[in-house]
Amino acid sequence: MRTRFAPSPTGYLHLGHAYSALTVGQIAAEFCGSALLRIEDTDSTRCRPEYDAAIFEDLRWLGLDWPEPVWRQSDHSSDYDATLTTLAARGLLYPCSCSRRDVAEAGATPGWDGLVYPGTCRSRPMKDARPGDALRLNLARALEATGPLPAFTETGPQHAGTHQPDPEALLAKIGDPVLRRKGTGDPAYHLACPQDDAAQGITHVVRGADLWHATFLHVVLQTLMGWPVPTYHHHDLIRDESGTRLAKIAHSRAIRAFRDDGMSPADIRRMVGF
Ligand code: GLU
C-alpha cells in the first residue's frame, strides 16, 4: 500500500493541510504502507521557493516523515509532454486560445468545477496550435476511445462505495479539460496528478473532498493511458468558524503563524481533531 500527500507550494500550509497530511499518514499506518511526499509545483506563476521550503519545515515540525527522494513535478515536464504527444497523435487534443472571459461570454454552463467549456475551439486542428495556446482534451472523443469506464472504489466518509463514471455526466459537468495551460505551457493538475500517481505506484489516493469530482476525470486519463486506477479516499475538509473552506487563497491562517504564537505540534494536531 502506498499513498501520498501532494501539496502545491503556492502558499503556506494551513490547518486543512495539516489535517490532510495527518490523515494520509494515519491511513498509511493502518495498512502498514508508506506515505510519500509529492511537490505539485507545476504552476510556474504561483509556486514560490519560500513556500516550497516551508512545506518541508512545517511538516517536519508537525512530526511527519517521508521516504526520500521526494518527487517534484517540475522535474518531470518531459514525461507530461510525452503524454500530451501521445494524446495528440490519437487525435484527442486541440489548441484553445479562449480566455476565462471568452468562456463566460460564450454562454458556458456551470459544472462541477467552474464553468464547462462550451467547445469554441474544439474544431481547431493541432497543426494550427499557436505558442501560448492551451491544449484541451476532446472529452467526447476520449470517451469513445476508452469505451465503458472502470468503476473505482472510494473509502472516504461522504461517498464510500463503488462508483462508475457516467459519460453523460462527465460531458455535462466537466467538459473538455485543459491539460496544458495557456500562456506558460505548464502541465495542468488533471494531467500531472494521475500520471504521477501511476508513475509512483500509488495504490491509495488520500486527499480532500474538494477533489472528489476530479476523480471521475482522472479515471478517464488512467483508462486512456493504461494507468492503474487506485483506491480513493476523500476526507472531509476542515472548516473555520465562519464555515468557509480553509484555503490558502482565502488567507487562512498558516501553521507557522500558530507556531509563532507559541502553539506546539500537539496543539495543532488537537485543533484538527487528531
Ligand atoms: N496539489 C493538490 C492541492 O494542493 C492536491 C492534489 C491531490 O492530492 O490529488 O490541492
Side-chain angles (χ1 to χ4, degrees):
M1 183 274 186
R2 189 182 288 166
T3 182
R4 82 298 191 284
F5 176 56
S8 304
T10 54
Y12 291 118
L13 299 187
H14 53 64
L15 290 183
H17 292 109
Y19 179 71
S20 192
L22 291 165
T23 304
V24 167
Q26 185 183 55
I27 293 178
E30 276 164 20
F31 282 85
C32 296
S34 55
L36 310 185
L37 174 63
R38 179 166 84 214
I39 303 296
E40 299 210 322
D41 57 349
T42 52
D43 185 343
S44 57
T45 60
R46 290 174 63 222
C47 292
R48 297 229 212 111
E50 59 268 34
Y51 296 142
D52 199 302
I55 289 175
F56 290 80
E57 203 181 288
D58 293 347
L59 293 178
R60 286 217 176 88
W61 179 76
L62 271 177
L64 294 166
D65 204 3
W66 47 85
E68 296 284 346
V70 168
W71 186 281
R72 185 173 282 285
Q73 291 189 324
S74 56
D75 291 339
H76 296 273
S77 323
S78 56
D79 300 336
Y80 312 127
D81 286 345
T83 302
L84 291 171
T85 304
T86 303
L87 294 173
R90 291 166 69 183
L92 301 177
L93 297 185
Y94 62 87
C96 173
S97 54
C98 294
S99 63
R100 274 171 199 274
R101 198 171 148 186
D102 295 334
V103 173
E105 285 176 355
T109 51
W112 286 330
D113 184 26
L115 294 177
V116 176
Y117 183 64
T120 319
C121 290
R122 195 176 287 137
S123 58
R124 284 180 58 196
M126 279 299 287
K127 65 175 174 48
D128 290 354
R130 291 186 290 259
D133 276 347
L135 294 182
R136 286 185 185 268
L137 180 72
N138 183 325
L139 187 63
R141 271 203 207 151
L143 291 168
E144 274 168 32
T146 58
L149 293 166
F152 68 92
T153 301
E154 163 70 20
T155 62
Q158 295 178 26
H159 306 280
T162 305
H163 299 268
Q164 172 118 34
D166 167 16
E168 271 173 41
L170 281 164
L171 288 166
K173 297 294 184 185
I174 293 186
D176 296 350
V178 168
L179 296 187
R180 191 189 76 184
R181 302 167 84 115
K182 190 166 146 57
T184 58
D186 293 334
Y189 165 69
H190 292 309
L191 169 62
C193 172
Q195 176 151 0
D196 287 347
D197 287 334
Q200 294 188 282
I202 300 300
T203 60
H204 291 62
V205 171
V206 178
R207 61 186 177 196
D210 53 332
L211 289 166
W212 163 246
H213 282 120
T215 305
F216 292 83
L217 177 57
H218 295 184
V219 171
V220 175
L221 268 297
Q222 287 153 355
T223 310
L224 275 177
M225 296 303 296
W227 299 328
V229 179
T231 295
Y232 285 88
H233 181 105
H234 292 85
H235 58 71
D236 289 333
L237 301 177
I238 301 286
R239 286 164 195 279
D240 65 13
E241 297 94 335
S242 60
T244 53
R245 192 186 140 199
L246 271 186
K248 287 170 285 193
I249 9 189
H251 302 290
S252 300
R253 207 141 185 258
I255 296 171
R256 54 188 44 220
F258 290 103
R259 184 189 70 189
D260 293 346
D261 281 353
M263 287 213 181
S264 69
D267 294 330
I268 301 287
R269 284 170 184 259
R270 257 193 304 278
M271 279 171 73
V272 299
F274 271 73

